[in-house]
Amino acid sequence: MKRVLALLLPILFTVGLLVYALRGVDLGTLRSTLLEGELWVIAPFLILLAFFFLNNALRWTLILRPFGRFSMRQVAPSMMIGFAGNNVLPLRIGELIRAVIFAKESGCSRSGVLMTLVVERALDLVGILLVFVTGAILVGELPPGWTYGLAIALAGILALITTLVLLGRFPDVSLGLWRRLSPSLPVLVAERGQTYLAELTRGLAALATPSTAAALLLQSLLRWYVAAALVWLSLAGYDVSVSPGVAMLVVGVTAAAVSLPSVPGFVGPVQAAFVFALTPFGIGQEVALAASILFLVGHWVPVTLTGALYFVSRHYSYRQIRREAASLSESA
């Protein structure tokens, strides 16, 4: 039953979001709008996308420092395989595949690598929230109800940064607290919790160094400012120019939408996010949808192809990697 629900919920969310995004849309107008897109945006889009992932690879090398010194060339293959996996496989299993493959190639523990991805996601969330707040400040007058989102973003930034710094600076405190609480839990849960918390605090050790912490924060911010530039280009391809602030708001809303359960490739959340974030600023629904399709396809095709090429070049057995990823999921 749990497996059925895990597969059914993404489908339901995807359908619901697509219904919202397409409600009232003239499909003929949408088709003609799509066909009128400018081809010149493809080259700068791909260049920025490459920088987006190169920056992510560099950031991951810094997060991995407590586990060893790795180059961007060493981390990029498993990273791109993981992102490609998220594009084509259900339940975001690409992240687990990424952890399994990098652990095989680096000799690090799978649980340790998985916890570095938790740190990465936390840094991404900080970066996204900061970009959203920046966008809100630049826009000035927000649509009705958006001020609540701004307040939540500010609270989230404070809470996340505080938690990450405390866990990174005082690992013994969190481990000691877990030891006090864990006796009331089942033995297996207590042991796994101890292991993963130890690996998480180890991964967060990179934040204990001010220079490294600053570099990680700046890279996280840069990553999502680049994402805002990709949003801007997606709209420019349809002769629509929005302010940088609006593009940043779209990034924040899109990040929130893709965190919801959805089918592989994030079809539905991206479309709903663009429509929700852009129509209050006078952008037509068909244009917002066309830009969302360009944004999504512009990510999906190169990322999936790159990850697939890396996977094939390493001659891994998909079934074996999938089994190991499932095992890692069950032990997490």
Side-chain angles (χ1 to χ4, degrees):
M1 179 60 70
K2 289 174 66 176
R3 183 172 179 79
V4 170
L5 285 174
L7 293 173
L8 186 60
L9 277 177
I11 296 173
L12 293 175
F13 269 96
T14 297
V15 171
L17 290 168
L18 282 174
V19 168
Y20 166 79
L22 294 169
R23 184 179 55 190
V25 168
D26 185 310
L27 295 180
T29 303
L30 175 59
R31 180 178 178 277
S32 61
T33 302
L34 280 168
L35 294 176
E36 291 169 1
E38 299 284 346
L39 295 178
W40 69 265
V41 301
I42 295 175
F45 190 101
L46 292 176
I47 291 170
L48 281 175
L49 188 66
F51 181 78
F52 180 89
F53 284 105
L54 286 171
N55 178 68
N56 198 76
L58 177 60
R59 186 183 61 170
W60 197 23
T61 64
L62 292 180
I63 297 171
L64 284 163
R65 283 282 175 86
F67 299 88
R69 296 267 177 172
F70 301 100
S71 67
M72 291 172 64
R73 180 176 293 182
Q74 288 173 297
V75 305
S78 56
M79 182 189 78
M80 295 309 300
I81 290 169
F83 281 116
N86 284 339
N87 282 348
V88 297
L89 297 172
L91 307 177
R92 313 284 172 90
I93 199 171
E95 294 297 295
L96 298 173
I97 290 174
R98 174 180 170 186
V100 167
I101 290 177
F102 186 76
K104 282 179 176 293
E105 297 184 349
S106 66
C108 297
S109 70
R110 296 189 307 180
S111 59
V113 176
L114 185 60
M115 289 301 101
T116 67
L117 302 188
V118 173
V119 175
E120 187 179 82
R121 293 289 80 78
L123 287 169
D124 273 339
L125 186 52
V126 172
I128 290 164
L129 292 173
L130 284 170
V131 167
F132 181 81
V133 170
T134 305
I137 293 170
L138 291 175
V139 168
E141 187 175 347
L142 294 174
W146 282 48
T147 51
Y148 295 108
L150 179 60
I152 291 170
L154 289 169
I157 292 167
L158 180 61
L160 271 169
I161 291 178
T162 302
T163 301
L164 291 173
V165 170
L166 289 177
L167 284 173
R169 294 277 293 180
F170 307 104
D172 293 339
V173 174
S174 56
L175 288 169
L177 182 61
W178 178 261
R179 292 190 191 100
R180 291 177 186 172
L181 297 175
S182 59
S184 60
L185 301 173
V187 174
L188 186 60
V189 173
E191 291 177 351
R192 286 178 178 173
Q194 175 80 11
T195 299
Y196 280 103
L197 184 58
E199 296 287 12
L200 177 60
T201 54
R202 184 182 177 190
L204 285 167
L207 295 172
T209 306
S211 59
T212 305
L216 287 170
L217 183 58
L218 286 173
Q219 285 170 335
S220 299
L221 270 172
L222 179 60
R223 186 171 191 256
W224 296 106
Y225 284 133
V226 171
L230 292 171
V231 169
W232 188 90
L233 276 173
S234 299
L235 286 161
Y238 294 98
D239 290 326
V240 175
S241 180
V242 297
S243 69
V246 170
M248 292 175 196
L249 291 178
V250 174
V251 167
V253 174
T254 302
V258 300
S259 68
L260 298 171
S262 65
V263 299
F266 309 111
V267 175
V270 174
Q271 281 64 55
F274 270 62
V275 170
F276 177 85
L278 288 170
T279 51
F281 294 97
I283 308 300
Q285 194 171 349
E286 288 82 5
V287 173
L289 278 168
S292 76
I293 293 169
L294 174 58
F295 181 84
L296 185 60
V297 173
H299 278 79
W300 195 95
V301 173
V303 170
T304 305
L305 285 177
T306 303
L309 288 172
Y310 272 129
F311 189 83
V312 170
S313 70
R314 275 156 167 71
H315 306 290
Y316 287 124
S317 164
Y318 168 71
R319 289 184 178 179
Q320 178 62 28
I321 293 294
R322 182 74 182 266
R323 279 197 297 269
E324 292 185 35
S327 173
L328 181 58
S329 175
E330 291 169 3
S331 65

